[in-house]
């Protein structure tokens, strides 16, 4: 879907598809520079990272090896306990490999910090993070994000893989969800 198709659900359009695509090309050049032999496993976090993974992997000029994990955090996300459960694990052994975690968005940082530690505990040779969007004002646990697409304000955003009640993931571009859509509910819940 185009962002204009859901424009009435958004209070603001933050990024068009073109802006995101251009930024991904720059990020891909940085990743190629840092892994000149292409010896890196891209680990995407389902479901939000699917769109970024597809775009980033195809932009890379080496044979990108990819795998996916699905996780869920316990507790109200507004004050998350930081306890993360693996719903789908990797098919790939990560011991000895360079891992690049691919995330749609870094909000509190709880999920990513847990994932970084989890990859290290499995014996990864190195672990870095690539996040398309980051909310610096919402970060509770600082995680070094080596490749970040855009810093955004601490609003609830949808599009480019990010959903509200499973909708909007396939919207090209990113926008702030208008409060009238969730009518008082916590969109993070
Ligand atoms: P964190 O552990 O960094 O707080 O949360 C990361 C996850 O929360 C993301 O992968 C995403 O699924 C969800 N999330 C955080 N902020 C937003 C947002 O603004 N919009 C949507 N749709 N999901 C978000």
């Amino acid at each position: 879907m185009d962002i204009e198709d859901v424009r009435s659900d958004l209070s603001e359009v933050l990024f068009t598809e073109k802006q995101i695509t251009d930024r991904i090309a720059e990020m891909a050049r940085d990743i190629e520079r840092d892994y000149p032999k292409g010896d890196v496993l891209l680990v995407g976090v389902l479901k939000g990272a699917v769109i970024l993974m597809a775009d980033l992997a195809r932009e890379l000029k080496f044979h990108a090896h990819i795998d996916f994990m699905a996780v869920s955090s316990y507790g109200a996300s507004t004050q998350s306990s930081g306890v993360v459960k693996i719903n789908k694990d990797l098919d790939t052994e990560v011991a000895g490999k360079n891992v690049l975690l691919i995330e749609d968005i870094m909000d509190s940082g709880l999920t990513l910090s847990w994932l970084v530690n989890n990859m290290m505990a499995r014996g990864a040779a190195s672990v870095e993070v690539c996040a398309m969007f980051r909310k610096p004002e919402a970060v509770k646990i600082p995680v070094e994000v080596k490749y970040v697409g855009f810093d955004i304000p601490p609003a609830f955003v949808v599009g480019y893989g990010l959903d509200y009640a499973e909708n909007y993931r396939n919207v090209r571009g990113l926008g702030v969800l208008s409060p009238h859509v969730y009518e008082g509910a916590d969109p993070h819940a």
Side-chain angles (χ1 to χ4, degrees):
M1 297 168 86
D2 291 323
I3 204 142
E4 286 309 314
D5 296 330
V6 295
R7 188 64 188 83
S8 59
D9 291 350
L10 306 175
S11 55
E12 194 184 344
V13 173
L14 292 181
F15 302 104
T16 63
E17 181 182 33
K18 169 88 169 68
Q19 288 172 306
I20 294 173
T21 310
D22 289 351
R23 182 72 190 109
I24 287 174
E26 294 173 355
M27 292 159 80
R29 301 294 87 79
D30 290 342
I31 293 168
E32 289 158 1
R33 179 202 61 216
D34 295 345
Y35 302 94
K37 291 186 241 155
D39 54 345
V40 61
L41 175 67
L42 308 183
V43 171
V45 186
L46 294 171
K47 302 172 193 173
V50 164
I51 310 283
L52 170 60
M53 179 70 99
D55 284 349
L56 179 66
R58 288 178 298 170
E59 182 61 33
L60 289 168
K61 298 193 190 305
F62 54 73
H63 293 285
H65 293 188
I66 67 177
D67 203 345
F68 288 96
M69 273 179 91
V71 298
S72 51
S73 322
Y74 281 118
S77 52
T78 40
Q79 19 181 293
S80 177
S81 57
V83 179
V84 174
K85 178 180 163 231
I86 297 177
N87 297 325
K88 183 228 170 281
D89 207 349
L90 299 173
D91 298 324
T92 317
E93 177 63 58
V94 299
K97 292 190 183 141
N98 298 313
V99 171
L100 180 56
L101 288 166
I102 307 292
E103 253 286 38
D104 46 7
I105 192 165
M106 176 174 161
D107 187 13
S108 70
L110 290 168
T111 310
L112 274 172
S113 81
W114 187 90
L115 281 166
V116 168
N117 290 335
N118 186 267
M119 294 297 122
M120 293 305 285
R122 297 182 196 209
S126 68
V127 184
E128 299 291 354
V129 175
C130 171
M132 193 65 225
F133 307 106
R134 177 175 62 182
K135 298 180 189 170
E137 292 163 56
V139 172
K140 289 186 198 151
I141 301 189
V143 178
E144 197 198 322
V145 183
K146 192 159 188 184
Y147 313 97
V148 58
F150 298 105
D151 281 330
I152 62 170
F156 190 81
V157 293
V158 293
Y160 205 72
L162 288 156
D163 76 310
Y164 173 61
E166 293 300 327
N167 289 337
Y168 307 99
R169 288 197 199 277
N170 59 328
V171 170
R172 303 176 189 273
L174 187 85
V176 176
L177 191 64
S178 179
H180 81 257
V181 177
Y182 50 89
E183 285 172 348
D186 177 3
H188 289 91

